Amino acid sequence: MRVLGLMSGTSADGVDAVLAEFSGASRSPSWRLIRSASSPYPSPLRKRIVAIAQGQATPAADLLELAEAITEQQAKAAEACDPDRSASLVGCHGQTIWHRPPEDDTTTTRRRGSSWQMLQGPLLAELLQRPVIHDFRAADLALGGQGAPLVPMADAALMGRIQGWRALLNLGGIANITLIPPSAGPDRMRPVLGWDCGPANSLIDLAMETFSEGQERCDRDGAMAALGQVMTEPLEHWLREPYFHRPAPKSTGRELFGREDLKRRLTELQPASPEDQMATLTAFTAAVVAQDLQHLSHLDLPRPVEMVVAGGGRRNRTLMRELQSRCQGLRVRPSDELQLPCESREALAFALLAWWHHRQLPGNAPSITGAERCCVLGVRADPA
């Protein structure tokens, strides 16, 4: 079955699309990546998304227009990836505007989580004239889960297992990690694990926009960070913040690591040069991941033997060097070496989640999100 996967992440750079074919056993499918495409958001649209995702008060009419614009961009990416309309199903994550994980309040009750992935599913189905599976987080949230990360079970199915534990690190706006048990030995029966580590590109990109006065959206190849020196004292102070010591399951986004958070950190880095500040922010992302790997012993788990890296941050050479330096004792390699293009991995995962929805196979796992039970993810919208 051919499926289109559409992903627009926390960085709000645009829409990544893949056309993939799945067959065979659901949990260990045979798959083939046929084509991929990327459709960047126009600059004014991206600015609106980021502003609203940072909590900017916005009239309902403007929110409606934004939802339509995002949906149209998803359709544009889909058409570029599958101009012949050979896919029979579409899986679309939508654009995250706000994410609120579940939390314990001051009473004996637990506040449920909620998350908003902006999309007009029926409109997208009509534009593409194919069924669309969307709103993937809602069912997991309704069962008390975090609603994120949703791709670890798909990661395990797409990548398979090796002799030891394998980690897959995604460096999007947020860094999230998947831990896949080994193919043999006593740990082979352990569940797949995964959680959001903390910021990846979100703070780096916002800092680059600040330092360049809006002329640059990212630190290309980590060039600016490479010119600076990492400031050890503030970095170690940041690593002691509560989120980084909260046990999984846990998830986060711009609501925690966004513009206000960046302003605080840049204030703490004064009067250092912009290059030193960028170097420290870049090292921060790597240090958060390394610290999570060090804490695996708390889960009675060994360190993985390798860490496969995907997402846009994979192109940041300085960040990759920091990861290799700080995550000593394991092999760090790009997902491209496994025929999984680093920018396509999440879109491919949502294509697989849509295929699983079609087969009525659960896509989440309580070990990852904390939900009460496994469930089928997504809502189906058919053309009118």
Side-chain angles (χ1 to χ4, degrees):
M1 182 180 191
R2 288 194 174 188
V3 185
L4 262 172
L6 302 173
M7 177 65 191
S8 44
T10 310
S11 296
D13 295 320
V15 184
D16 294 321
V18 300
L19 176 63
E21 189 166 55
F22 300 102
S23 61
S26 297
R27 285 300 183 198
S28 55
S30 298
W31 61 274
R32 180 168 64 100
L33 183 60
I34 300 169
R35 191 179 299 116
S36 63
S38 182
S39 178
Y41 283 142
S43 183
L45 176 59
R46 180 179 185 271
K47 288 179 179 178
R48 288 164 60 199
I49 292 171
V50 172
I52 291 172
Q54 297 292 161
Q56 181 186 81
T58 306
D62 292 348
L63 290 173
L64 180 62
E65 291 180 0
L66 180 61
E68 291 175 334
I70 287 172
T71 303
E72 288 164 357
Q73 287 294 315
Q74 303 281 344
K76 180 179 178 181
E79 295 288 8
C81 188
D82 186 21
D84 299 327
R85 298 196 171 190
S86 62
S88 53
L89 187 66
V90 180
C92 182
H93 175 263
Q95 180 63 56
T96 298
I97 297 299
W98 196 258
H99 181 68
R100 188 193 75 205
E103 59 184 19
D104 295 324
D105 60 20
T106 56
T107 68
T108 58
T109 60
R110 188 168 189 254
R111 187 187 191 191
R112 70 171 62 88
S114 187
S115 196
W116 185 8
Q117 283 63 58
M118 184 173 277
L119 184 78
Q120 293 185 345
L123 174 60
L124 184 61
E126 186 62 26
L127 291 173
L128 299 179
Q129 284 298 294
R130 278 163 288 182
V132 171
I133 312 301
H134 66 109
D135 200 10
F136 284 94
R137 301 193 192 193
D140 185 86
L141 287 159
L143 290 172
Q146 296 273 324
L150 289 183
V151 296
M153 294 301 293
D155 286 337
L158 293 168
M159 293 180 56
R161 301 188 179 204
I162 57 175
Q163 289 295 316
W165 281 86
R166 166 185 266 177
L168 192 151
L169 175 67
N170 182 66
L171 296 173
I174 297 298
N176 50 66
I177 196 165
T178 297
L179 291 177
I180 303 173
S183 57
D187 279 349
R188 72 186 186 281
M189 302 305 292
R190 297 287 291 261
V192 176
L193 301 172
W195 59 86
D196 286 349
C197 303
N201 298 315
S202 59
L203 298 182
I204 296 171
D205 291 352
L206 288 170
M208 196 64 194
E209 288 185 12
T210 299
F211 295 142
S212 68
E213 298 182 343
Q215 297 303 304
E216 299 289 341
R217 286 167 47 169
C218 66
D219 184 15
R220 297 184 184 280
D221 297 326
M224 185 174 181
L227 298 174
Q229 296 293 320
V230 177
M231 303 167 68
T232 303
E233 186 174 343
L235 176 57
E236 291 180 349
H237 172 70
W238 293 348
L239 290 174
R240 293 193 290 269
E241 293 174 5
Y243 181 82
F244 306 122
H245 294 271
R246 188 181 305 165
K250 60 180 181 177
S251 58
T252 189
R254 284 187 184 272
E255 66 283 347
L256 186 58
F257 299 108
R259 198 173 299 277
E260 289 303 313
D261 183 63
L262 175 68
K263 288 180 181 179
R264 173 179 66 84
R265 297 187 195 280
L266 294 186
T267 298
E268 294 176 9
L269 295 177
Q270 296 302 320
S273 69
E275 290 80 8
D276 287 355
Q277 294 180 57
M278 186 63 79
T280 304
L281 288 169
T282 302
F284 180 39
T285 290
V288 165
V289 174
Q291 181 171 267
D292 273 5
L293 293 176
Q294 291 167 3
H295 289 170
L296 287 178
S297 59
H298 300 168
L299 301 174
D300 192 28
L301 290 174
R303 287 164 61 86
V305 298
E306 74 169 12
M307 183 165 66
V308 181
V309 184
R314 194 331 242 146
R315 304 298 185 192
N316 186 320
R317 296 176 183 175
T318 304
L319 176 54
M320 291 296 290
R321 284 196 297 269
E322 285 285 345
L323 280 170
Q324 186 66 77
S325 173
R326 294 174 183 274
C327 300
Q328 296 180 1
L330 74 162
R331 180 186 184 190
V332 178
R333 61 192 297 212
S335 65
D336 308 72
E337 293 182 2
L338 301 176
Q339 286 71 55
L340 185 61
C342 64
E343 286 90 355
S344 303
R345 167 254 183 180
E346 285 193 297
L348 181 61
F350 279 96
L352 179 58
L353 288 173
W355 187 60
W356 282 350
H357 178 100
H358 173 74
R359 290 193 163 195
Q360 289 295 287
L361 186 79
N364 68 333
S367 61
I368 298 165
T369 67
E372 295 173 12
R373 62 178 185 275
C374 298
C375 63
V376 177
L377 301 179
V379 176
R380 178 176 172 129
D382 290 293

